[in-house]
């Protein structure tokens, strides 16, 4: 069987299928150093547990996770898949450890207390590396730089997967396909098609390889789409960061400590954003709505001292006039905005008064899109007419919208991808072995 | 590292690390930069020696090349580490010898060998190198005791003084404002970290000796080398105790304390050093630094030669080969001591100083920790 996509879902699918007795080939579009999809940027994953474990303290019950999921996604999600996710989130950590992943014991390093999530030692890429090493040990064939151009159902049964690798196209005949190619959104053309011209100024926080091509292929072949291609999780990121793969370090975390202006120097705000961690998800769309999709967070020296470090040092100036010049925005408008803000500081926010001043240019950073392919409880792709092939599966962010129709819970992406990848691999192996 | 200004490169990379912190469980470098926006020369001097070069953070880094951020902390630190050695050497003029360490170390050893052979020939007859000696005092017929002890004492004293002063200069650069009591509280932790080489474990799984695979090999080989070095030193102390307290002159019987210590020490040091050379040969070049590799090679080859030549003296001490082997061994030992202050040996006291500061800082963090933060909102 063939697994398309070498992120956490693809790896879990490939390993589960191999353990289930199938001969497996894994096709990863990225070159080896950039393998692993967005799990490379993941830091933790959510799991339920009734008692403290070596890698997660306290307890976090299935009922709690169920309630939290419902509070962000609402009722319109697939009940069966949601229950499978909740149930397997209990055993997934042990399975990952069994396959070489090291989890960080609570209280070591500087990671904050978290009873809901476990932290892979060294982060997501370390976890990915461990799973690749396991996959190699188990005898899974891995092809990097391998971009799937088409998947065609053969007469009778099985599939032909056309792969472009180092410029040459080659067909792969396979009895079963598991598509774990990630969500859509990392292709500028896909973004423009779904979000219009405002998508021009966006950054993509994750891998450039989650470009929606496989999702389009599945839908083109009759697959049933699910979710809304125009809703997404988007947060403020440093405008000077890389277009793709900025990950965690370009996220601008200190908005509650300062004031935000657009490129005309006019102050913008988001009602109810406050200083809760959820403020990111509210500020992302607000910045996306700004002219040129850019805004500036202005801090004074007090605010900067309280801010968490970010990858790129802020633009600094001894006074607001020079700061405006450095940002190429109108100094009069900026001064006016700051003056108005200081006259009536919003809720707990501070005044912006003490020089030197600092600013971060911000753009919307796409995290993932609430859109994907519909699957059944066995991860088989469901066609728009309700039928399905018994040998075509999808797992990971490409089908996350079955559960996450909107909203997000921290650390859920990796759990979801690992769990559904595992199920897809088991089901595919069962099918192949007959 | 080829960046024009390593300090700027260090600031750039450490800023990214401090914003990311995914590696915080790997070693104390990351907790030490938590929340920091700016880095001083003293900070990077401290951090670069706190790094044990396990390379875990290179393999685990989501921003390693070809990512545009091109983060390569092990190579950045390797460069800065060498600068920290050179900047604190005593006498300061040694900085130049250090920068050309791969030439200066062999040259010093060659000179020491030359002088030793010259003294052997000058204090005895040319026949001395071809005669079979046996019995008590045999070694001193090759090189008279006062000359041997004088050279050993002088080169050893030089090494101890120069390394101690360099370490003190380094400690002054990185020392936090602290009370003696705080240092005393931190000492047991630092000592345990030094003895166990805990941070060569990459947070548990070990070092990345070769590609992504982790193992404890480097830790074990390092301990064999260091332990062998210590045992060899103890052997010399035991021998001088025999000489001065018991009035028995070398060579000693195989079953004696000095010989047993020397035998075990020599074997472990040689095996360790050769093993580490093997790891060095297979090491990934991308997260390494050419200068540091040369420094490592020069030091490891020297240690291996000292260990192997000592074993050769023991093995052939009742044959005509004893005299030239003993002369070579003594020359290598004098050369090792003479070159010690500008060799990779500096990493030991510098890292120990960095571990002491890390222990002090970690005690402070533990007493100031706020338990209310939650990690559930990434």
């Amino acid at each position: 069987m063939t697994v398309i996509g070498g992120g956490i879902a693809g790896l879990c699918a490939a390993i589960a299928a191999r353990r289930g007795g199938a001969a497996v080939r894994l096709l990863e579009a990225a070159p080896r150093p950039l393998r692993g999809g967005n799990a490379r940027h993941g830091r933790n994953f959510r799991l339920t547990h009734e008692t403290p474990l070596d890698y997660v303290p306290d307890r976090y019950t299935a009922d709690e996770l169920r309630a939290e999921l419902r509070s962000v996604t609402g009722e319109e999600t697939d009940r069966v898949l949601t229950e499978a996710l909740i149930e397997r989130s209990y055993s997934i950590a042990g399975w990952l450890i069994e396959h070489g992943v090291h989890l960080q014991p609570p209280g070591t390093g500087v990671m904050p207390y978290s009873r809901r999530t476990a932290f892979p030692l060294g982060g997501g890429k370390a976890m990915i590396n461990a799973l690749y090493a396991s996959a190699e040990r188990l005898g899974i064939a891995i092809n990097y730089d391998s971009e799937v151009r088409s998947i065609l159902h053969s007469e009778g049964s099985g599939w032909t997967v056309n792969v472009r690798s180092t410029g040459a196209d080659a067909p792969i005949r396979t009895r079963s396909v598991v598509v774990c190619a990630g969500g859509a959104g990392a292709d500028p053309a896909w973004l423009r098609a779904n979000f219009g011209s405002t998508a021009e100024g966006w950054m993509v926080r994750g891998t450039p390889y989650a470009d929606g091509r496989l999702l389009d292929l599945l839908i083109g072949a009759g697959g049933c789409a699910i979710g809304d291609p125009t809703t997404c999780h988007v947060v403020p990121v440093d405008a000077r960061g890389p277009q793709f793969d900025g990950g965690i370090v370009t996220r601008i975390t200190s908005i509650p400590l300062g004031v935000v202006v657009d490129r005309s120097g006019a102050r913008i705000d988001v009602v109810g954003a406050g200083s809760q961690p959820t403020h990111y998800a509210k500020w992302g769309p607000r910045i996306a709505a700004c002219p040129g999709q850019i805004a500036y967070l202005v801090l004074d020296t007090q605010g900067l001292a309280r801010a968490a470090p970010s990858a790129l040092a802020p633009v600094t100036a001894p006074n607001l006039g020079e700061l405006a010049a450095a940002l190429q925005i109108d100094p009069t408008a900026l001064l006016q905005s700051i003056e108005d803000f200081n006259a009536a500081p919003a809720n707990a926010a501070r005044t912006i008064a003490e020089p030197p001043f600092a600013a971060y240019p911000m753009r919307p950073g796409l995290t993932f899109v609430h859109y994907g392919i519909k699957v059944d409880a066995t991860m088989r792709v469901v066609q728009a007419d309700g039928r399905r092939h018994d040998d075509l599966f999808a797992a990971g962010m490409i089908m996350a919208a079955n559960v996450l129709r909107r909203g997000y819970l921290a650390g859920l992406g990796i759990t979801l991808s690992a769990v559904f990848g595992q199920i897809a691999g088991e089901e595919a192996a069962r099918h192949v072995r007959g | 590292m080829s960046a024009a200004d390593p300090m700027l490169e260090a600031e750039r990379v450490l800023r990214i690390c401090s914003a990311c912190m995914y590696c915080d469980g790997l070693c104390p470098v990351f907790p030490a930069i938590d929340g920091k926006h700016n880095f001083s020369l003293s900070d990077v001097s401290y951090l670069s020696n706190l790094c044990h070069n396990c390379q875990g953070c290179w393999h685990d880094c989501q921003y390693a090349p070809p990512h545009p951020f091109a983060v390569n902390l092990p190579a950045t630190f390797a460069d800065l580490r060498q600068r920290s050695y050179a900047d604190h050497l005593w006498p300061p003029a040694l900085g130049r010898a250090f920068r050309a360490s791969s030439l200066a170390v062999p040259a010093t050893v060659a000179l020491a060998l030359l002088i030793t052979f010259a003294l052997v020939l000058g204090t005895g007859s040319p026949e001395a190198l071809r005669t079979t000696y046996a019995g008590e005092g045999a070694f001193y017929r090759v090189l008279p005791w006062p000359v041997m002890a004088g050279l050993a004492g002088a080169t050893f004293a030089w090494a101890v003084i120069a390394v101690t002063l360099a370490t003190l200069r380094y400690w002054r650069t990185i020392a936090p404002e602290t009370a003696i009591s705080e240092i005393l509280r931190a000492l047991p932790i630092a000592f345990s970290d030094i003895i166990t080489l805990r941070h060569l474990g990459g947070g548990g799984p070990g070092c990345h000796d070769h590609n992504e695979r982790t193992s404890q090999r480097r830790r074990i080989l390092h301990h064999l080398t260091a332990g062998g070095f210590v045992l060899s030193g103890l052997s010399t102390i035991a021998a001088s105790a025999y000489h001065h307290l018991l009035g028995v002159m070398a060579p000693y019987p195989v079953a004696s304390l000095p010989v047993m210590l020397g035998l075990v020490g020599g074997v472990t040091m040689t095996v360790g050093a050769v093993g580490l050379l093997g790891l060095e040969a297979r090491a990934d070049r991308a997260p390494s630094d050419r200068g540091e590799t040369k420094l490592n090679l020069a030091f490891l080859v020297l240690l291996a030669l000292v260990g192997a030549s000592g074993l050769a003296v023991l093995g052939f001490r009742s044959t005509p080969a004893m005299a030239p082997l003993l002369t070579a061994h003594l020359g290598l030992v004098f050369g090792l001591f003479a070159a010690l202050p500008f060799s990779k040996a500096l990493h030991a006291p510098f890292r120990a100083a960095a571990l002491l500061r890390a222990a002090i800082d970690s005690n402070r963090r533990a007493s100031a920790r706020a338990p209310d933060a939650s990690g559930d909102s990434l």
Side-chain angles (χ1 to χ4, degrees):
Chain A
M1 52 170 284
T2 300
V3 177
I4 302 171
I8 184 101
L11 283 163
C12 291
I15 291 171
R18 185 79 191 101
R19 300 269 319 248
V24 183
R25 176 175 297 279
L26 179 71
L27 302 173
E28 165 63 309
R32 196 180 188 284
L34 297 175
R35 66 187 181 178
N38 286 331
R40 199 155 58 87
H41 298 300
R43 179 49 173 136
N44 53 357
F45 59 96
R46 214 165 252 260
L47 74 171
T48 59
H49 55 114
E50 294 291 339
T51 54
L53 301 169
D54 292 347
Y55 43 86
V56 56
D58 217 330
R59 70 201 291 254
Y60 179 52
T61 64
D63 284 343
E64 286 180 89
L65 175 53
R66 191 175 292 115
E68 284 172 351
L69 259 175
R70 192 165 306 146
S71 76
V72 298
T73 64
E75 296 292 333
E76 277 175 71
T77 60
D78 188 310
R79 282 280 168 88
V80 180
L81 289 174
T82 304
E83 284 309 310
L85 172 64
I86 291 168
E87 194 204 313
R88 290 225 183 188
S89 82
Y90 179 75
S91 58
I92 193 67
W95 191 83
L96 291 170
I97 290 171
E98 203 182 307
H99 293 100
V101 173
H102 291 272
L103 299 181
Q104 197 169 329
T108 62
V110 296
M111 272 301 126
Y113 171 84
S114 169
R115 69 185 178 94
R116 293 180 175 84
T117 64
F119 296 86
L121 180 67
K125 190 175 169 194
M127 175 169 66
I128 286 294
N129 287 342
L131 292 174
Y132 270 104
S134 268
E136 280 169 17
R137 255 197 310 277
L138 289 168
I140 292 166
I142 300 167
N143 296 25
Y144 297 104
D145 289 299
S146 298
E147 190 190 340
V148 170
R149 310 291 297 178
S150 67
I151 39 176
L152 300 168
H153 199 235
S154 308
E155 297 293 322
S157 74
W159 296 81
T160 301
V161 179
N162 283 301
V163 184
R164 179 168 297 174
S165 188
T166 56
D169 287 9
I172 293 175
R173 288 276 300 131
T174 183
R175 287 180 58 194
S176 165
V177 176
V178 184
V179 183
C180 303
D187 176 16
W190 193 97
L191 272 181
R192 225 174 6 257
N194 289 285
F195 293 89
S197 60
T198 63
E200 308 267 341
W202 289 34
M203 320 281 274
V204 174
R205 296 180 66 204
T207 177
Y209 297 93
D211 58 7
R213 180 198 301 276
L214 265 294
L215 180 59
D216 286 346
L217 284 176
L218 289 176
I219 294 170
C224 178
I226 196 161
D228 178 355
T230 66
T231 70
C232 58
H233 189 59
V234 60
V235 307
V237 298
D238 199 309
R240 302 161 301 168
Q243 172 83 48
F244 295 100
D245 263 336
I248 191 87
V249 299
T250 57
R251 189 179 62 164
I252 299 296
T253 56
S254 34
I255 289 180
L257 304 172
V259 65
V260 181
V261 298
D262 67 14
R263 72 175 178 193
S264 74
R267 180 172 171 229
I268 57 169
D269 199 5
V270 176
V271 178
S275 57
Q276 290 304 304
T278 47
H279 79 258
Y280 304 117
K282 292 179 175 156
W283 273 100
R286 179 67 190 88
I287 294 165
C290 284
Q293 299 84 48
I294 194 158
Y296 302 88
L297 169 65
V298 180
L299 299 161
D300 71 351
T301 199
Q302 295 279 343
L304 191 61
R306 288 174 56 203
S310 72
L312 304 161
V315 178
T316 54
N319 57 59
L320 287 168
E322 283 183 48
L323 189 68
L327 301 176
Q328 293 180 299
I329 58 182
D330 175 19
T332 324
L334 178 66
L335 280 167
Q336 189 61 52
S337 293
I338 302 291
E339 214 169 280
D340 293 348
F341 175 78
N342 287 346
N347 48 46
R350 326 166 43 82
T351 56
I352 309 296
E354 195 181 322
F357 297 94
Y360 288 100
M362 302 183 290
R363 285 195 179 280
L366 180 77
T367 312
F368 69 95
V369 185
H370 291 114
Y371 180 62
I373 195 80
K374 188 173 166 65
V375 294
D376 68 10
T378 65
M379 301 300 134
R380 286 180 168 82
V381 171
V382 176
Q383 301 292 101
D385 58 14
R387 288 183 303 167
R388 36 181 211 174
H389 298 288
D390 55 8
D391 48 11
L392 178 63
F393 303 80
M397 292 311 287
I398 198 168
M399 49 64 70
N402 286 272
V403 173
L404 277 181
R405 206 73 57 91
R406 59 170 179 263
Y408 182 61
L409 290 177
L412 193 67
I414 287 179
T415 307
L416 182 150
S417 298
V419 161
F420 291 139
Q422 204 188 22
I423 297 175
E426 289 165 3
E427 294 290 344
R430 198 168 294 145
H431 169 75
V432 168
R433 285 176 55 234
Chain B
M1 246 354 283
S2 56
D5 185 343
M7 211 25 224
L8 288 179
E9 174 63 4
E11 279 183 60
R12 183 187 79 84
V13 169
L14 287 173
R15 228 194 129 81
I16 293 167
C17 291
S18 146
C20 172
M21 273 292 153
Y22 282 19
C23 289
D24 76 313
L26 297 187
C27 77
V29 164
F30 300 95
I33 61 172
D34 184 34
K36 278 183 81 89
H37 290 253
N38 299 297
F39 298 90
S40 66
L41 188 61
S42 126
D43 288 334
V44 298
S45 196
Y46 159 53
L47 295 168
S48 64
N49 281 288
L50 190 56
C51 163
H52 284 52
N53 201 26
C54 78
Q55 309 200 337
C57 64
W58 161 258
H59 292 283
D60 296 353
C61 184
Q62 54 183 321
Y63 301 111
H67 190 283
F69 279 149
V71 171
N72 189 342
L73 200 56
T76 307
F77 276 160
D79 186 1
L80 291 160
R81 217 163 20 238
Q82 292 165 75
R83 279 162 211 271
S84 79
Y85 301 152
D87 289 349
H88 296 92
L89 283 180
W90 182 90
L94 273 189
R96 288 179 63 179
F98 175 82
R99 277 182 207 100
S101 179
S102 58
L103 279 178
V105 171
T108 307
V109 175
L111 188 65
L113 277 168
L114 208 65
I115 290 172
T116 314
F117 272 98
L119 284 170
V120 165
L121 292 172
T123 55
S125 68
E127 295 302 303
L129 282 170
R130 277 185 270 126
T131 315
T132 304
Y133 299 103
E136 201 173 306
F139 292 160
Y140 308 124
R141 263 173 264 151
V142 178
L143 191 62
W145 182 84
V147 183
M148 196 192 292
L151 273 175
T155 50
F156 183 67
W158 148 254
V160 169
I161 292 169
V163 170
T164 304
L165 288 174
T167 309
L168 285 176
R169 284 161 61 98
Y170 176 64
W171 176 249
R172 272 203 297 277
T173 299
I174 66 157
E177 287 280 332
T178 181
I180 295 288
S181 62
E182 224 178 346
I183 296 184
L184 289 178
R185 255 201 317 282
L187 268 177
I189 305 169
F191 191 69
S192 138
D193 287 346
I194 294 163
I195 294 298
T196 61
L197 286 185
R198 186 156 66 95
H199 306 304
L200 268 182
C207 276
H208 292 261
D209 306 321
H210 189 53
N211 296 331
E212 284 131 10
R213 302 236 167 87
T214 50
S215 82
Q216 302 290 344
R217 235 171 301 165
R218 198 158 147 246
R219 197 175 182 180
I220 294 164
L221 290 169
H222 181 282
H223 264 23
L224 287 178
T225 313
F229 187 82
V230 169
L231 288 178
S232 304
L234 289 176
S235 159
T236 312
I237 292 170
S240 60
Y242 271 49
H243 187 106
H244 295 287
L245 301 179
L246 304 179
V248 194
M249 281 204 281
Y252 302 110
V254 173
S256 68
L257 188 62
V259 174
M260 286 315 289
L261 284 171
L263 178 61
V264 176
V267 169
T268 50
M269 184 164 92
T270 310
V271 168
V274 169
L276 287 173
L277 280 167
L279 290 187
E280 203 64 65
R282 279 162 30 110
D284 298 344
R285 295 293 160 232
S288 308
D289 177 273
R290 267 173 59 90
E292 190 172 70
T293 304
K294 285 185 188 170
L295 208 57
N296 293 346
L297 293 181
F299 189 53
L300 289 169
V301 167
L302 182 53
L303 286 177
L305 286 175
V306 167
S309 62
L311 293 172
V313 172
L314 179 61
F316 297 96
R317 64 182 180 173
S318 46
T319 74
M322 184 276 273
L325 284 173
L326 177 69
T327 312
H329 178 60
L330 289 172
L332 288 167
V333 171
F334 303 151
L336 171 67
F337 287 150
L340 215 58
F342 49 89
S343 76
K344 184 58 192 267
L346 278 175
H347 82 281
F350 277 45
R351 188 152 296 150
L355 286 169
L356 179 59
R357 164 148 175 209
I360 294 170
D361 289 354
S362 139
N363 278 349
R364 285 182 183 175
R365 265 199 307 276
S367 55
R369 182 160 295 157
D372 56 335
S374 166
D376 291 337
S377 46
L378 294 169

